[in-house]
Amino acid sequence: MNPIIIQGNNIITKGYKLEHCRKHCAKSAQDWTEQYRQLEELLEDLQITHFINQQFPHLNHHHLPKIALAGCPNGCSQPQIKDIGISGYLTPRLTENPCTGCRLCVTSCPENAITWTDENIILDLNRCLSCGDCVRACPTEKISCGETGWQISLGGRLGRHPQLAEISSFEKSTDDVIAKIRMILSDYLENSLPRERLSQFLERRSYSALLRS
Ligand code: SF4
Ligand code: SF4
Ligand code: SF4
């Protein structure tokens, strides 16, 4: 494939950047493998590379739409600074199963969302980031898997006017994620201003608020 940008030792051949975090990570709340494949298919289907070449006559790296997939809220692929960030989540729930009192769940939680009080486990979902660490730690499934899905954040970027992506919506399945990203990118392809970057477009159209409503 022909390069569209050459920057130092970097040769970029696609009009987008699609990144993911580590494969087979023990911390994963959601497996992103299939979603990554479908996202790549979508970006090719929408011919983003062709569009970006037309949109930016003097194309630079910062013009490329950037999408990152992460398997959990740790966000190792940095979804917080991408146009579109997608992070897997797994929210715990308490079951009727027996509790041994081992307190592995308490020590596993980086957010101090679990406490051992009066011989009982208390789960504070207001503090929980839905990483799933406590679910993996519990030997009896007293703490088990509750709701799972994907968090979509929009509008993150670095550069001259950096900003963190805003949490926009929570999707239950990969199909829902793909449908939403297809809608956003199709809108960008049809309605962006000349030389408007994706993050600027998302901001102008107030997409974060739109998806939340
Ligand atoms: S984001 Fe989560 S699943 Fe992905 S590499 Fe980092 S810790 Fe592992
Ligand atoms: S899912 Fe993560 S943040 Fe939430 S209670 Fe369990 S360990 Fe803590
Ligand atoms: S890890 Fe499971 S069994 Fe151990 S204290 Fe927590 S809820 Fe109980």
Side-chain angles (χ1 to χ4, degrees):
M1 209 179 278
N2 290 330
I4 62 168
I5 308 176
I6 300 177
Q7 281 192 328
N9 291 329
N10 291 329
I11 298 175
I12 297 171
T13 58
K14 294 178 178 170
Y16 57 85
K17 287 203 87 177
L18 176 60
E19 294 172 88
H20 58 72
C21 66
R22 197 153 33 99
K23 278 187 181 170
H24 311 304
C25 175
K27 293 261 182 195
S28 179
Q30 290 282 301
D31 182 355
W32 48 257
T33 326
E34 173 57 17
Q35 191 169 127
Y36 183 87
R37 189 193 68 70
Q38 289 192 31
L39 276 171
E40 201 164 33
E41 216 171 80
L42 174 67
L43 290 161
E44 292 301 322
D45 186 40
L46 294 173
Q47 302 190 356
I48 296 286
T49 299
H50 175 73
F51 170 80
I52 291 296
N53 265 318
Q54 305 289 312
Q55 176 84 334
F56 300 103
H58 303 289
L59 186 61
N60 271 310
H61 179 263
H62 61 270
H63 295 135
L64 301 177
K66 297 172 188 70
I67 303 179
L69 256 174
C72 81
N74 286 338
C76 298
S77 50
Q78 302 183 318
Q80 302 89 343
I81 54 164
K82 302 297 192 307
D83 297 295
I84 301 174
I86 306 163
S87 311
Y89 69 86
L90 184 172
T91 305
R93 71 181 172 93
L94 291 177
T95 69
E96 296 302 316
N97 282 10
C99 172
T100 65
C102 67
R103 296 177 224 186
L104 287 172
C105 53
V106 177
T107 51
S108 75
C109 180
E111 308 305 324
N112 297 322
I114 306 176
T115 45
W116 174 258
T117 311
D118 298 332
E119 312 258 309
N120 277 315
I121 284 295
I122 311 285
L123 184 57
D124 180 357
L125 289 181
N126 290 322
R127 300 181 75 105
C128 173
L129 291 187
S130 300
C131 65
D133 280 354
C134 55
V135 175
R136 286 183 288 272
C138 180
T140 66
E141 295 189 12
K142 170 73 184 169
I143 296 191
S144 180
C145 179
E147 191 185 314
T148 61
W150 302 91
Q151 174 191 291
I152 299 186
S153 307
L154 297 176
R157 62 172 177 249
L158 290 179
R160 294 165 72 102
H161 303 283
Q163 64 182 19
L164 291 178
E166 263 187 79
I167 298 173
S168 294
S169 66
F170 294 88
E171 308 297 334
K172 291 270 179 271
S173 69
T174 286
D175 283 355
D176 294 340
V177 172
I178 298 295
K180 202 137 276 180
I181 307 301
R182 180 182 282 281
M183 180 192 78
I184 293 168
L185 291 178
S186 300
D187 193 17
Y188 177 56
L189 297 189
E190 280 171 31
N191 298 310
S192 56
L193 303 173
R195 294 184 296 286
E196 189 175 35
R197 285 169 61 180
L198 178 55
S199 70
Q200 294 164 332
F201 172 78
L202 294 168
E203 207 173 335
R204 180 168 65 81
R205 304 277 273 193
S206 304
Y207 247 104
S208 296
L210 194 75
L211 293 190
R212 270 200 301 273
S213 60

